[in-house]
C-alpha cells in the first residue's frame, strides 16, 4: 500500500456507483492502469473535468486492493479542446485511444513507446496542421511496429526478397508485401503511390505523405485497417465512425478466413473487391508524427 506518481492519457471512463468513475489510463511508467476517481461525477468535484478522454495528465494514485485510487490530477495537455469541435479529428482521436487500449491488454506492463506515440499522435491531431486521416494511419502503422506486427512494405513478407522498389501485391494474412513467387490467393494490387505512402507514414516522411492523392490515401487506409484488425482478431468500433472523405475501403472480420477482393488489373492501382464477400475490403513531450 502506498502512493505513486505518473503521467498518463485518459483512454476511457466507466461509471461506478452514483458519483464515481473507473478511469483507464495509459501511463508513462506503469502501462495501462485502471483507477477509481471518487466523486468526479459531482458538480463540486475538484478534478472531474481533468479526467476526460484525450486528457494528458500528471497523476498521483494510491495503491488499492483491486483498483488504485486517483488522489491528485494536474493537466499537462488538454488535447480534448482541440478535438471535440472537429468531427474528423475527434473520431480519429477516438480510434487512437481505442487502438492504444487494445494493444495494452495486460495492466501494469510497461508500454513507454506506445505512450509516447499516443501523446505525439494526439498532439498532431489537436494541432490542426496535419491531415487527421494521415495522422491516424501513421499512428496505426507505428503502433503495429511497436507490437511486432509491422506490415512488410519494401520486402516480401514470406521470403524477405527486396522489391524493385516495391513488390506488386499485398496480402494481409501473409503479413504485407509478397513477391510473385510467394503470392497468396486474394492478394490485392496497390498502386505504386500507395506503396510510397505506406513507407512514408511508417518512416515519418510527411513531405511525401502530404503530396499523395486521395485514391492512394483511401487504399492505404484500407490496408492499414485490415492489417491491424487481422492481428487484433477483432474490429475496432471507432474506425467505422472515422468520416473519410470519398469513402474508404474497410475490413469486416466476420468471415473466416479473411478473403480480400483481388484487382487483377493493376493499371490504375486502386483496390477493388471482386465480390462483396464477407471479410473483403469495402468502401465505406511525445513522439512527433
Amino acid at each position: 500500500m502506498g502512493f505513486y506518481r505518473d503521467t498518463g492519457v485518459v483512454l476511457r471512463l466507466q461509471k461506478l456507483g452514483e458519483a464515481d468513475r473507473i478511469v483507464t489510463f495509459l501511463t508513462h511508467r506503469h502501462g495501462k492502469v485502471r483507477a477509481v476517481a471518487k466523486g468526479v461525477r459531482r458538480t463540486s468535484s475538484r478534478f472531474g473535468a481533468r479526467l476526460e478522454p484525450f486528457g494528458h495528465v500528471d497523476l498521483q494514485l494510491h495503491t488499492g486492493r483491486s483498483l488504485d485510487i486517483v488522489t491528485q490530477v494536474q493537466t499537462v495537455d488538454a488535447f480534448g479542446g482541440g478535438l471535440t469541435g472537429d468531427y474528423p479529428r475527434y473520431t480519429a482521436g477516438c480510434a487512437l485511444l481505442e487502438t492504444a487500449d487494445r494493444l495494452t491488454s495486460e495492466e501494469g506492463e510497461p508500454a513507454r513507446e506506445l505512450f509516447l506515440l499516443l501523446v505525439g499522435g494526439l498532439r498532431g491531431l489537436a494541432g490542426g496542421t496535419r491531415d487527421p486521416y494521415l495522422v491516424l494511419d501513421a499512428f496505426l502503422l507505428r503502433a503495429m511496429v511497436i507490437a511486432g506486427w509491422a506490415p512488410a512494405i519494401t520486402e516480401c513478407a514470406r521470403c524477405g526478397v527486396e522489391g524493385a522498389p516495391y513488390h506488386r501485391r499485398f496480402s494481409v494474412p501473409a503479413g504485407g508485401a509478397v513477391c510473385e513467387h510467394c503470392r497468396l490467393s486474394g492478394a490485392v494490387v496497390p498502386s505504386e503511390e500507395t506503396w510510397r505512402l505506406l513507407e512514408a507514414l511508417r518512416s515519418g516522411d510527411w513531405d511525401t505523405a502530404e503530396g499523395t492523392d486521395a485514391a492512394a490515401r483511401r487504399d492505404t487506409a484500407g490496408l492499414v485497417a485490415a492489417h491491424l484488425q487481422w492481428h487484433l482478431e477483432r474490429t475496432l468500433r471507432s474506425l467505422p465512425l472515422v468520416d473519410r472523405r470519398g469513402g474508404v475501403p474497410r475490413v469486416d472480420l466476420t468471415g473466416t478466413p479473411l478473403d480480400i477482393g483481388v484487382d487483377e488489373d493493376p493499371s490504375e492501382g486502386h483496390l477493388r473487391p471482386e465480390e462483396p464477400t464477407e471479410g473483403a475490403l469495402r468502401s465505406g513531450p511525445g513522439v512527433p508524427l
Side-chain angles (χ1 to χ4, degrees), residues 108-150:
E109 292 293 326
R112 181 176 181 273
E113 288 183 278
L114 185 59
F115 167 79
L116 294 174
L117 181 66
L118 178 60
V119 172
L122 292 174
R123 183 169 290 128
L125 286 175
T129 58
R130 302 280 190 206
D131 185 304
Y133 311 119
L134 292 180
V135 172
L136 171 59
D137 292 333
F139 174 86
L140 297 180
L141 273 171
R142 297 188 203 180
M144 286 190 282
V145 171
I146 294 171
W149 302 336

Side-chain angles (χ1 to χ4, degrees), residues 25-81:
F25 302 94
L26 181 62
T27 66
H28 191 186
R29 294 186 296 275
H30 297 85
K32 185 156 74 173
V33 172
R34 295 172 70 240
V36 176
K38 293 185 176 294
V40 294
R41 291 162 57 197
R42 298 193 183 102
T43 56
S44 59
S45 171
R46 293 176 300 162
F47 48 73
R50 302 171 192 169
L51 293 176
E52 294 292 335
F54 309 113
H56 180 205
V57 293
D58 185 285
L59 299 161
Q60 178 175 281
L61 301 105
H62 184 266
T63 305
R65 292 185 178 180
S66 57
L67 294 173
D68 296 345
I69 300 172
V70 179
T71 57
Q72 291 182 10
V73 182
Q74 291 183 333
T75 298
V76 178
D77 293 294
F79 293 127

